[in-house]
Amino acid sequence: MDHTSLGIDPTQPHPARRYNYWLGGKDNFAADRASGDELERHFPKVRLGALANRALLRRATRFLTAEAGIRQFLDIGTGLPTADNTHEVAQRHAPESRVVYVDNDPLVMVHARALLNSSPEGRTAYIEADLNDPEAILADPVLHDTLDLKQPVGLMLIAVLHFIHGPGAAKPIVRRLLDALPPGSYLVATHATSDFGTPEQQALYQQLVEQGRSDVWTRGRDEFAELFDGLELVDPGVVPASEWRPEPDAEVPVRSDINVWTAVGRKP
């Protein structure tokens, strides 16, 4: 496969492919593995956080479908297909569920067939776009052909907002997306944080960001919680990914092993 003709640069690490590597997938390049390994050397539990984040996606999607009655999902920052993608979990509980996936890595498009294997009753679709440009996502005809934006939507922003750099930079993007969705819609978000690191770890991480060796812009609890302003938080509120409605028999790791804030909120 000629990756360059598809707009894929195998020499530059990409978050979707690095995440795929941490989850044990095969859809990644040497640059992604090197980037993942460097972060893991500095922060040995980063892979645990990725796994906890993926498990949270499953639990939150199940909650929205089975308990909240949501039948439409807009999943931005989809990542490469792996086990239990959003539509697979949703359609397990409600086969008529519809999902639109959005990502900016052309390699995700190459593998999008795995994201589009919908149940006969439901539908899935894929848009190649960037969270930094919410207007393009909201204007895309594929979105409007697949979802009815007059009916509640589950907006899934899983491990993607921390690629929006700068203090306060994520909130207007989230607000714009939520403004386009009707009452009864939900926001599910997870976000990397340095809150649980030692001062030394926090200083080291900031140095990596400034040197361009990490593309993840961590945010503290307060700034993350502000993304849910005006929404009704679902219990247990803002917690690490592993602590949001864990499975009854799950062993919940210590917070410093996860470093991912999570919350689910309903638009009144």
Side-chain angles (χ1 to χ4, degrees):
M1 184 188 297
D2 180 3
H3 291 110
T4 54
S5 68
L6 299 168
I8 298 166
D9 183 355
T11 67
Q12 292 297 315
H14 189 282
R17 301 193 300 262
R18 185 177 58 221
Y19 187 52
N20 173 265
Y21 169 57
W22 282 335
L23 292 176
K26 302 283 191 292
D27 299 311
N28 48 73
F29 300 117
D32 308 306
R33 296 188 288 275
S35 171
D37 288 345
E38 180 182 21
L39 285 171
E40 203 164 0
R41 274 196 304 276
H42 293 301
F43 307 98
K45 306 294 180 146
V46 69
R47 194 182 294 252
L48 273 180
L51 292 167
N53 188 75
R54 190 72 193 179
L56 178 279
L57 171 63
R58 289 194 293 270
R59 298 196 307 277
T61 303
R62 184 177 67 204
F63 162 77
L64 290 185
T65 315
E67 295 185 45
I70 296 295
R71 297 294 180 265
Q72 306 187 106
F73 296 82
L74 175 56
D75 184 334
I76 304 176
T78 304
L80 284 147
T82 182
D84 281 345
N85 301 295
T86 300
H87 75 280
E88 292 169 324
V89 179
Q91 292 178 353
R92 200 174 295 149
H93 298 281
E96 70 274 23
S97 297
R98 294 174 167 231
V99 180
V100 171
Y101 291 108
V102 181
D103 206 292
N104 69 346
D105 180 4
L107 190 61
V108 178
M109 184 65 172
V110 173
H111 293 277
R113 284 187 302 276
L115 295 171
L116 303 178
N117 60 349
S118 173
S119 67
E121 305 93 325
R123 281 187 67 185
T124 60
Y126 179 79
I127 299 169
E128 189 171 320
D130 195 306
L131 179 60
N132 280 292
D133 189 359
E135 299 300 336
I137 296 170
L138 293 170
D140 197 297
V142 170
L143 174 67
H144 297 274
D145 186 50
T146 311
L147 305 184
D148 176 2
L149 297 190
K150 298 186 184 68
Q151 300 297 320
V153 173
L155 174 60
M156 316 297 283
L157 298 175
I158 305 295
V160 64
L161 291 166
H162 46 233
F163 300 113
I164 307 293
H165 286 212
K171 187 173 182 179
I173 293 174
V174 174
R175 193 59 37 201
R176 178 67 189 95
L177 292 166
L178 285 171
D179 284 348
L181 304 180
S185 295
Y186 282 80
L187 168 63
V188 179
T190 68
H191 200 297
T193 186
S194 299
D195 283 358
F196 308 122
T198 64
E200 293 77 18
Q201 288 172 322
Q202 291 173 344
L204 170 61
Y205 189 76
Q206 191 56 40
Q207 189 178 14
L208 291 176
V209 172
E210 289 166 1
Q211 293 171 349
R213 291 158 65 195
S214 177
D215 48 12
V216 173
W217 182 279
T218 57
R219 289 184 169 88
R221 185 191 186 283
D222 289 349
E223 188 178 351
F224 175 71
E226 285 176 3
L227 301 174
F228 292 81
D229 283 355
L231 303 184
E232 300 163 348
L233 279 179
V234 174
D235 285 339
V238 178
V239 293
S242 52
E243 295 178 24
W244 197 90
R245 302 195 173 199
E247 304 294 353
D249 56 348
E251 184 176 330
V252 177
V254 297
R255 292 184 166 198
S256 57
D257 284 355
I258 300 303
N259 289 305
V260 177
W261 284 120
T262 298
V264 177
R266 179 182 181 276
K267 182 176 178 178

